[in-house]
Amino acid sequence: MWKQILSKLPRKSTKSDVDSARIPNSSINTSSPGSGRANAASPAVKRAAVFPASVIAGIEPMLAFKDVPSSEKLNLFISKLSLCCVVFDFIDPVKNTHEKELKRATLLELLDFVSQNPPKFSEPAILAACKMCSINIFRNFPPNYQSSNTNLGENDNDSEPTFDPAWSHLQIVYDFLLKFVTSPSLEAKVAKKYINHSFILRTIDLFHSEDPRERDCLKAILHRIYGKFMVHRPFVRKSISHVFYRFVFETEKHNGIAELLEIFGSVITGFALPLKEEHKIFLWRALIPLHKPKSLAVYFQQLSYCVTQFIEKEPKLAGGVIKGLLKYWPITNSQKEVMFLSELEEILEAINMAEFQKVMVPLFWRIGQCINSFHFQVAERALFFWNNDQVLNLIAHNRHVILPIILPALESNAQNHWNQAVLNLSLNVKKMFSEMDDSLVLTCISIYNEEQEKLNFAVKERKEVWKLLENAASRQPIAGNTAVLVSP
């Protein structure tokens, strides 16, 4: 069959073929997946399906790049790209086996060509490359229960990913696109017409893929596009923001949030100072609300890195970030509480004194609630703040405000907490406060004891009132049509 295919390929081009090479958009075959299904009984039909527009650039696509002169290499490049525009069905592994192997070999040739310092890409070559990549990688993902269910629990995030059966071809196409975008032979001024907003938007849509290998390739490609095409940078940032908005406020399901945040983490490091208002809006409207979804654990590391990068760039943002975390505090989710406390500690390491004093009252009120948590990991994580020298320094300078807030929680733990480790940590923190300002600690303990006595007295009075009411109700005679509940 291979000899049949090769023998029937035209050796020379006609004038119409050469003309078509000048306008590849009108000539490159955009065959659908079904077009790759060839009729074994008809070699002519098979050749047409496997080699769409095989002489589009006026040169036989099966030739090797080394066998053609330099002046013809780009024509051969376009011809081979046209050959790879057929998309096969990989669900059935025995279908079109030879054709799939031929396409894979051609893709590897193209990858090798763009990796070895090729000549400057012409506009038809750029268009043909973008079209081949678009046909192969831009696709609709099949409906999936996990992707469509918006009420996923935390444990569902650890489910097995779905791997694309066409990955043997897709991986080479992704590698080709990465090498193509980063090639010095590709001029951004020309390529921006084809790697345009539509191309970028469809690339970002692919981050919803359940295949982690595909998302990893997309991450590298989108990052390189952002770096090379400066004119597209605002659009890339805006499009990623929209993905985050839909995820937080509509679906709470997206597979590529971690990868998109990883891209943004490197982007933030390149922001010029002072930060533009657009970047601050992204922090308040996208990054802070990303703490809300149940699946925070999947992308928490990347999100925390982005937030701390903003604060390192502009420390005065720390107070607003802390207020945002307190707004979305996960009161009923202990796992998320531990993550929030970890992020708070990182922020407090970078905060300045003025910003700290603006938020210390609500912040340490929440930390006090965490210290009293019956979940021992939450209580432990909150008490570990006192092991951080930077945090301890902030507390020491503001002990007159913080100590009256925290000491009642420490006293309550020392008397009532069920976990021995939490009890010991509470006593250690109390000892630190005593060494810091013993007279203030004694004053706070005295106030705490007085308040406890008042509370105990109020509880005792309330019980006595209820007892009097119960006695009065039991003595009152039943008259008239009063309804009475009779037990069986």
Side-chain angles (χ1 to χ4, degrees), residues 119-237:
K120 178 182 171 182
F121 291 120
S122 62
E123 191 167 340
I126 295 170
L127 184 140
C130 291
K131 187 166 187 179
M132 186 277 289
C133 293
S134 300
I135 289 172
N136 280 277
I137 66 175
F138 295 151
R139 63 207 189 279
N140 293 323
F141 295 113
N144 185 289
Y145 174 77
Q146 293 177 357
S147 297
S148 60
N149 190 354
T150 59
N151 297 316
L152 290 176
E154 292 176 22
N155 297 331
D156 295 325
N157 294 318
D158 299 327
S159 57
E160 289 295 322
T162 303
F163 297 108
D164 197 310
W167 184 246
S168 59
H169 282 196
L170 282 173
Q171 182 179 18
I172 306 171
V173 177
Y174 277 122
D175 290 343
F176 167 85
L177 180 56
L178 179 61
K179 291 289 184 182
F180 180 71
V181 168
T182 56
S183 173
S185 302
L186 181 68
E187 287 190 353
K189 289 181 180 179
V190 181
K192 68 181 181 181
K193 291 191 290 185
Y194 305 105
I195 301 178
N196 53 18
H197 287 185
S198 175
F199 188 94
I200 291 168
L201 201 58
R202 296 181 74 185
T203 302
I204 292 173
D205 287 342
L206 290 173
F207 276 90
H208 203 21
S209 169
E210 292 198 353
D211 193 330
R213 302 168 300 180
E214 182 169 13
R215 297 198 303 271
D216 199 51
C217 291
L218 287 163
K219 178 180 66 178
I221 290 166
L222 186 60
H223 189 246
R224 298 295 182 148
I225 289 174
Y226 185 90
K228 187 158 190 170
F229 298 90
M230 293 184 67
V231 68
H232 293 327
R233 289 181 181 181
F235 180 78
V236 172
R237 294 195 297 267

Side-chain angles (χ1 to χ4, degrees), residues 107-126:
L107 286 170
L108 288 170
E109 281 187 82
L110 291 167
L111 175 60
D112 187 58
F113 177 72
V114 296
S115 303
Q116 295 181 355
N117 194 22
K120 178 182 171 182
F121 291 120
S122 62
E123 191 167 340
I126 295 170

